[in-house]
Amino acid sequence: AAGVIQSPRHLIKEKRETATLKCYPIPRHDTVYWYQQGPGQDPQFLISFYEKMQSDKGSIPDRFSAQQFSDYHSELNMSSLELGDSALYFCASSLVLGREGPTGELFFGEGSRLTVL
Amino acid sequence: GENVEQHPSTLSVQEGDSAVIKCTYSDSASNYFPWYKQELGKRPQLIIDIRSNVGEKKDQRIAVTLNKTAKHFSLHITETQPEDSAVYFCAASRGGNTPLVFGKGTRLSVIA
């Protein structure tokens, strides 16, 4: 079965550079979530999209932005990178019926490991 | 917003013993409570979940209980095996496409 695809799997950047992470959700899933997980930390919610519209916003820095495209893939853009941005970035997708429906299982991608030097 | 507390942060058990991890949540509107297992450098994987209309759910060696009144839920693993060693996260959400809020995680070590 198709899973959530993330690219790149590993990324090394210098401080103040920019980075873009991509996520391809499971086909027909209508919601995409981005999470950031620092070393030894729990996943922190950044932002989500429902049917290509921004749905919820969490602890996403102003230097980061994200969007979901017409083919449902999503990109997380990170600028002015800082050492503290080094983390695993997970994308997850789910199929729900909107904000009032039952929560669908979140399927996580394998993650993109960003290292900022 | 939702706040999820998880205890203990580390847990060591002998192989074959049981392990219990507890979580509390703050948002009384939360109605979905999944548990994830995460191995080092890997993605979180759902092992069991429970919704607020159910008090207990079991899947082989894994069970989850939910007390809505007290706003806490627990993961029980019986007959632990070395391959159960991992970090376990509880999470909560208000349903629909609202995001999951995770607990801080419990590092479980099963000693052979």
Side-chain angles (χ1 to χ4, degrees):
Chain A
V4 176
I5 306 297
Q6 289 187 247
S7 67
R9 293 292 313 282
H10 302 274
L11 192 60
I12 299 174
K13 291 286 184 179
E14 300 279 343
K15 282 195 307 182
R16 292 180 288 278
E17 286 191 319
T18 62
T20 297
L21 307 181
K22 295 186 178 182
C23 170
Y24 295 84
I26 292 172
R28 291 182 294 283
H29 278 194
D30 54 17
T31 306
V32 167
Y33 308 83
W34 284 97
Y35 282 85
Q36 177 193 57
Q37 187 175 29
Q41 305 293 314
D42 56 298
Q44 291 289 314
F45 170 69
L46 294 178
I47 195 166
S48 62
F49 296 87
Y50 171 66
E51 286 292 345
K52 295 169 282 185
M53 298 290 290
Q54 184 180 305
S55 177
D56 285 281
K57 207 168 182 180
S59 52
I60 184 169
D62 291 341
R63 300 177 288 107
F64 291 10
S65 65
Q67 56 183 323
Q68 188 176 26
F69 296 85
S70 58
D71 64 352
Y72 286 85
H73 94 272
S74 178
E75 293 184 5
L76 178 66
N77 300 292
M78 300 174 284
S79 62
S80 301
L81 287 170
E82 302 173 357
L83 296 178
D85 296 329
S86 295
L88 257 177
Y89 290 82
F90 288 105
C91 173
S93 72
S94 67
L95 175 64
V96 297
L97 299 176
R99 299 192 79 79
E100 304 305 317
T103 299
E105 177 182 347
L106 262 67
F107 292 82
F108 283 83
E110 298 207 62
S112 293
R113 182 175 295 282
L114 171 66
T115 302
V116 181
L117 301 176
Chain B
E2 176 66 274
N3 182 50
V4 178
E5 300 278 345
Q6 183 171 348
H7 300 280
S9 57
T10 61
L11 179 60
S12 291
V13 298
Q14 292 289 327
E15 183 178 0
D17 286 350
S18 295
V20 180
I21 303 171
K22 299 182 179 182
C23 288
T24 61
Y25 61 98
S26 61
D27 187 350
S28 56
S30 288
N31 58 24
Y32 176 64
F33 307 93
W35 286 87
Y36 286 86
K37 176 183 180 182
Q38 188 177 30
E39 298 177 356
L40 188 63
K42 301 288 183 65
R43 71 182 112 187
Q45 292 197 303
L46 180 72
I47 55 171
I48 196 168
D49 57 12
I50 191 168
R51 300 181 190 275
S52 59
N53 58 347
V54 175
E56 184 174 359
K57 184 176 179 181
K58 190 173 181 180
D59 183 4
Q60 299 183 339
R61 296 186 297 110
I62 295 173
V64 58
T65 59
L66 171 65
N67 183 325
K68 285 191 298 181
T69 303
K71 289 191 282 189
H72 68 69
F73 56 114
S74 301
L75 177 72
H76 304 252
I77 306 174
T78 59
E79 301 171 25
T80 53
Q81 302 166 1
E83 49 266 39
D84 294 330
S85 298
V87 178
Y88 290 81
F89 291 98
C90 61
S93 87
R94 304 181 73 174
N97 57 3
T98 57
L100 290 176
V101 176
F102 286 84
K104 295 296 184 188
T106 297
R107 181 174 299 280
L108 173 64
S109 299
V110 180
I111 303 163

